[in-house]
Amino acid sequence: MSAKTSVEKSTLRGPSGFLELAGQMLVVDFGRIYHDGAPVGVLYDDGYLQHTSGVLGSSGTLRPIESINGCLFRGIDSTGLELVLPTGERGPSGSMKFNGVLFHVVNGRIAAPDHGLVGELDDEGTIFLRDPRNKVSRRKLDESTQLSTIIDGKKSTGDVLKMEYHRPLYRKDKIYSEAEMIRYFMDFDQLNGTQKKYLFENLRLWAATGLLQVVRKSEGNCALGNVKHGAAGQTGVRTGNVTLDKEEFDRDIEYYYEHGCFAAVTTRIKECLEVRLNLVVAHEFGHQLEFVLSQATQDKIKDLYREQKKRCDKIHPLPHEYGGAAELVSRHQIEKRVFVSGYARSTHHEYWAECAAAFSVKPSREYLKKQDPAVYDILCKIVYEPETVLRPVLVEPIMALQASLRAGGELHENLLNE
Ligand SMILES: [Zn+2]
């Protein structure tokens, strides 16, 4: 087991409840076991006992709860989720790699290196994850939620258990988020190294949080093509598919690696600049993302847009000779602009797509947080509290997928700082 096995009062995070043993009830308080008020050992969420004495027998080493006959724990784990140990039928023991993350399996319990209980594995190789975020103690994984899995161990019967699961149409050698981005982008193999890097930077956040998969299944994918009228991309209203213009794609990439997320470009109007955001892939994804939001969320976005447009028209109305709809600013107004980019002023759809794009990478995300906290808040909710902003029919699929992505190391609290 890991090096984290020494018991320190302050850091121990174990279950709380009662341990039943030969008709006696022992109290378990955050992993510490007491018999008549005296400490007699430690119990971890994953069902390991350590430093036992007295009625539990004297032993300093780690051993599974099954090693003491008739010993049964009932209560809650350190996350507050209901826990019974041993967990139902005895399952396999060995190791399990889930999206490349290594877990230890003991009698069917999937254990993290810190003795957290991740879920259960049965002798057939079926995985049931614990989902403390949504208070679900057993989530059976299926084809749309299970990440690549390699199991190497022995069944409860002693027979060898070796299994590999790979998601259909996913590259076996890639972690989930990369394989998902490759699946989303039709012509991935035709891209050069810089184009691939750019694609990954645009979409990584959305892939790691499961939104890309939900959007791809509900709306569509993305491909290179020829977009008319000189636009960089378009999202089909009926099909939901994104087409990126081949030439504009390269120009965006060039801007991005030369100037960063934002570039202030000159316009036909003297002294007037337009701020552009160089994240076309994330922008088009933003259009797809709008379709999976609840009606209430879409209405809120419309309201935010209207307020900003009003303010924009008041502070710096567009010059009469300008026929466009983008926000134009003078050089000294760039940091005081109303919209995240000039193009975001054109319609509420473009406003949303530009904000979603800005949220996709760290530098523009930090700018958006200061400049438009209300829309930033909606975007945070999409990532971390999707049940509050997504269409009701998509809530269960995203919750199940996100539980899996947490276990697989893709979705974590620090994603927005990366
Ligand atoms: Zn657009």
Side-chain angles (χ1 to χ4, degrees):
M1 291 304 296
S2 76
K4 279 188 180 172
T5 46
S6 68
V7 184
E8 282 172 43
K9 238 185 160 164
S10 54
T11 58
L12 182 66
R13 283 174 67 236
S16 297
F18 294 96
L19 198 65
E20 233 180 281
L21 178 66
Q24 299 189 78
M25 282 292 209
L26 282 66
V27 172
V28 184
D29 183 29
F30 292 101
R32 277 175 289 275
I33 311 166
Y34 298 95
H35 183 218
D36 292 335
V40 290
V42 164
L43 176 68
Y44 296 100
D45 284 350
D46 62 3
Y48 270 107
L49 291 160
Q50 196 181 26
H51 300 305
T52 57
S53 59
V55 286
L56 293 173
S58 213
S59 171
T61 55
L62 281 169
R63 54 193 175 133
I65 190 166
E66 288 88 350
S67 63
I68 301 178
N69 246 332
C71 192
L72 179 76
F73 169 84
R74 280 178 210 277
I76 52 170
D77 70 13
S78 58
T79 70
L81 204 55
E82 192 192 334
L83 179 67
V84 178
L85 293 166
T87 41
E89 267 173 62
R90 191 180 278 221
S93 294
S95 72
M96 181 179 106
K97 256 191 180 172
F98 191 69
N99 196 40
V101 180
L102 185 63
F103 295 104
H104 173 73
V105 183
V106 55
N107 297 326
R109 293 185 296 276
I110 305 167
D114 66 352
H115 293 295
L117 182 59
V118 175
E120 290 161 60
L121 177 70
D122 69 16
D123 276 342
E124 278 68 56
T126 309
I127 299 171
F128 301 86
L129 283 187
R130 290 171 76 76
D131 178 8
R133 160 70 172 69
N134 301 302
K135 299 271 168 266
V136 181
S137 51
R138 261 171 85 89
R139 259 189 204 283
K140 184 180 175 181
L141 297 189
D142 60 24
E143 204 180 75
S144 66
T145 52
Q146 185 162 350
L147 312 186
S148 71
T149 312
I150 300 172
I151 299 163
D152 192 353
K154 282 192 170 146
K155 295 183 186 183
S156 59
T157 55
D159 295 335
V160 169
L161 177 64
K162 271 188 191 287
M163 281 184 79
E164 276 202 29
Y165 170 82
H166 295 285
R167 294 167 72 86
L169 305 175
Y170 272 57
R171 307 263 167 110
K172 285 185 189 176
D173 57 330
K174 304 280 184 200
I175 60 164
Y176 166 85
S177 51
E178 288 194 2
E180 176 55 43
M181 290 186 280
I182 293 170
R183 240 208 109 176
Y184 172 73
F185 202 84
M186 298 291 281
D187 312 296
F188 183 80
D189 287 322
Q190 289 158 35
L191 300 181
N192 64 37
T194 312
Q195 290 170 327
K196 284 177 182 168
K197 183 167 180 264
Y198 177 75
L199 179 78
F200 282 178
E201 287 185 35
N202 271 251
L203 295 175
R204 181 162 281 121
L205 173 69
W206 304 113
T209 52
L211 270 310
L212 188 60
Q213 181 182 323
V214 168
V215 163
R216 175 174 58 76
K217 286 196 170 178
S218 151
E219 298 303 319
N221 51 26
C222 177
L224 286 176
N226 292 306
V227 180
K228 287 172 194 133
H229 317 303
Q234 66 180 24
T235 303
V237 175
R238 286 231 191 113
T239 63
N241 284 334
V242 165
T243 311
L244 294 174
D245 190 81
K246 278 179 190 160
E247 282 170 31
E248 295 283 332
F249 185 52
D250 278 331
R251 210 185 61 172
D252 243 70
I253 294 173
E254 211 185 294
Y255 273 148
Y256 179 73
Y257 287 114
E258 212 169 288
H259 304 282
C261 315
F262 296 112
V265 297
T266 53
T267 62
R268 294 182 282 111
I269 313 295
K270 210 177 152 223
E271 311 277 294
C272 281
L273 300 174
E274 180 184 337
V275 173
R276 53 169 292 157
L277 188 61
N278 307 312
L279 294 161
V280 66
V281 179
H283 172 98
E284 297 305 328
F285 172 77
H287 284 308
Q288 292 179 312
L289 188 62
E290 190 187 348
F291 297 133
V292 306
L293 300 178
S294 68
Q295 195 54 52
T297 314
Q298 294 190 27
D299 291 345
K300 178 125 192 257
I301 293 163
K302 255 186 236 171
D303 289 344
L304 291 174
Y305 167 74
R306 282 195 201 112
E307 281 168 31
Q308 292 201 9
K309 187 151 179 289
K310 228 189 259 171
R311 204 151 56 82
C312 180
D313 291 345
K314 204 169 164 190
I315 298 173
H316 39 244
L318 294 178
H320 288 301
E321 62 271 36
Y322 177 64
E327 178 180 30
L328 300 184
V329 289
S330 64
R331 192 160 292 280
H332 71 271
Q333 287 173 322
I334 289 177
E335 289 307 311
K336 287 180 195 149
R337 64 190 189 269
V338 174
F339 286 95
V340 69
S341 73
Y343 190 47
R345 186 190 169 280
S346 24
T347 67
H348 69 268
H349 295 300
E350 299 310 338
Y351 163 69
W352 171 253
E354 285 290 83
C355 290
F359 189 78
S360 303
V361 297
K362 196 180 175 188
S364 46
R365 179 161 60 237
E366 285 178 347
Y367 182 83
L368 187 71
K369 186 180 184 177
K370 277 184 266 161
Q371 198 224 11
D372 194 342
V375 84
Y376 178 88
D377 182 56
I378 294 174
L379 284 152
C380 286
K381 286 203 163 87
I382 293 177
V383 168
Y384 286 123
E385 297 165 53
E387 71 278 10
T388 62
V389 283
L390 256 54
R391 270 163 42 200
V393 65
L394 296 173
V395 167
E396 190 42 41
I398 189 75
M399 301 297 239
L401 178 57
Q402 285 198 336
S404 193
L405 294 173
R406 283 193 183 90
E410 295 273 5
L411 176 58
H412 52 80
E413 297 306 312
N414 216 21
L415 266 187
L416 297 183
N417 300 320
E418 288 179 347

